[in-house]
Amino acid sequence: MVQRTCSAEVMSRDLSPKRPVKAYSSDGGAYYDWSPADLPMLRAASIGAAKLSLAAGGLALPSYSDSAKVAYILQGKGTCGLLLPEATAEKRIPVKEGDALALPFGVVTWWHNASSPDLVVLFLGDTSKGHTPGRFTNMQLTGSTGIFTGFSTEFVARAWDLPQDAAATLVSTQPGAGIVKLRDGHRMPDPSDKDREGMVLNCLEAPLDVDIKNGGRVVVLNTQNLPLVKEVGLGADLVRIDGHSMCSPGFSCDSAYQVTYIVRGSGRVQVVGIDGTRVLETRAEGGCLFIVPRFFVVSKIADDTGMEWFSIITTPNPIFSHLAGRTSVWKAISPAVLETSFNTTPEMEKLFRSKRLDSEIFFAPTN
């Protein structure tokens, strides 16, 4: 009875793609997030999603989060300052479009954009241990909402061995909240290419895990090419399919949720759930995010401009099963079982099995 009730709840949730809402902003940029109230699957999957956009000269103040995350650079270039737990020095990582970073618990980060265009960063992560299921809570170290402002002048002076008047000045001169714009002439520390080692994987330059001519390409983030993924507990991938190409119907067979952000392009999406019910049929566009429930089957067909998406999967080394193509589960099932299952003739079974013998997970359009 409980299982049936849970299944009904999942089937009734709104799975349609959503755009984020601005949480706060300043001259330096803005922070956007997706709310569980607008996208209920965030709460069900205990997943958080947010975007940071920094204008030229913008600085996202040092903070840490209640959730482990994967960050993906959607646009621009800049610097990610990163301090790992118990480290004695920060890493100043130069970042650019296509970079993915794993951010475990306890990491302190700051982000800076020295020049135009805007630096835009997507954050996807696990909120199961966070304060609010389905939403990140970021703890600011400075600024008007920072930790400093919560302590009394006495505590600040005692902790940092400051005179009372200096402590009072330090606490009262932090008007910015989360994001500030640097003063003209203020110089930030230079990033170091060496700090990228082991911390970043550029999904646009990495070796392709799947490359199908006129179909699509995939780069998978896992514990082999980005070791910190293990600490985050999430896998991720960047998928790019060509115009009118199809991504094979498939599902995560290790009880993982699929969280998908459309980077650019657009296309049709169908999701089929329990009892063969189509629970989503929609057109997804760049800037939208949606979540596929565990074991539900999803398929996509790109519009004429193609479609690109970045996804996280709630396991560090995900396993997928596809229902069409050369690696389809149907290719491995015996002909007699397939014939009986579809209640069809031997001739139809042979026709069904003879198709897609040289295609894997992406199918180019037929002329």
Side-chain angles (χ1 to χ4, degrees), residues 35 133 170 276 316:
S35 166
L170 188 64

Side-chain angles (χ1 to χ4, degrees), residues 172-334:
S172 64
T173 56
Q174 300 181 43
I179 299 171
V180 299
K181 189 164 187 176
L182 299 181
R183 300 186 301 273
D184 290 341
H186 184 82
R187 183 174 175 80
M188 292 290 287
D190 292 327
S192 169
D193 287 332
K194 185 178 180 181
D195 286 345
R196 286 178 61 89
E197 296 176 6
M199 303 299 298
V200 179
L201 179 72
N202 188 277
C203 297
L204 301 178
E205 300 173 354
L208 297 170
D209 294 281
V210 177
D211 185 8
I212 297 175
K213 185 178 179 180
N214 299 322
R217 293 149 296 284
V218 183
V219 170
V220 178
L221 280 72
N222 52 38
T223 54
Q224 280 69 49
N225 55 23
L226 194 60
L228 278 177
V229 163
K230 182 176 181 180
E231 293 187 39
V232 173
L234 302 168
D237 58 23
L238 178 71
V239 181
R240 290 167 285 169
I241 61 175
D242 298 324
H244 300 295
S245 291
M246 181 181 194
C247 182
S248 169
F251 64 95
S252 171
C253 53
D254 47 9
S255 74
Y257 291 93
Q258 301 175 59
V259 185
T260 299
Y261 175 84
I262 307 298
V263 177
R264 57 179 55 88
S266 59
R268 294 161 53 203
V269 179
Q270 290 187 357
V271 177
V272 176
I274 299 165
D275 296 331
T277 302
R278 188 185 308 154
V279 293
L280 179 65
E281 180 166 10
T282 189
R283 186 172 178 272
E285 300 178 334
C288 292
L289 181 138
F290 65 96
I291 300 175
V292 178
R294 293 178 296 177
F295 302 110
F296 282 31
V297 178
V298 59
S299 184
K300 309 175 186 74
I301 299 178
D303 290 338
D304 55 2
T305 58
M307 186 160 60
E308 178 179 335
W309 64 86
F310 184 80
S311 296
I312 65 164
I313 303 93
T314 55
T315 179
N317 293 294
I319 302 172
F320 286 95
S321 287
H322 292 277
L323 301 181
R326 183 175 61 82
T327 58
S328 164
V329 297
W330 292 115
K331 302 297 185 187
I333 292 178
S334 61

Side-chain angles (χ1 to χ4, degrees), residues 8-24:
E9 288 178 358
V10 172
M11 295 288 286
S12 64
R13 288 193 179 106
D14 179 12
L15 303 182
S16 58
K18 297 291 193 301
R19 295 182 182 274
V21 175
K22 185 186 294 184
Y24 57 85

Side-chain angles (χ1 to χ4, degrees), residues 16 26 29 37 53 55 59-60 64 79 82 96 129 141 154 166 174 181 220 230 237 251 255 304 307 320 324 355 362:
S16 58
S26 73
S53 178
L59 173 68
Y64 62 94
T79 302
L82 188 150
K96 60 184 179 180
K129 298 180 180 178
L141 295 186
E154 176 193 358
Q174 300 181 43
K181 189 164 187 176
V220 178
K230 182 176 181 180
D237 58 23
F251 64 95
S255 74
D304 55 2
M307 186 160 60
F320 286 95
K355 301 297 183 179
F362 300 127

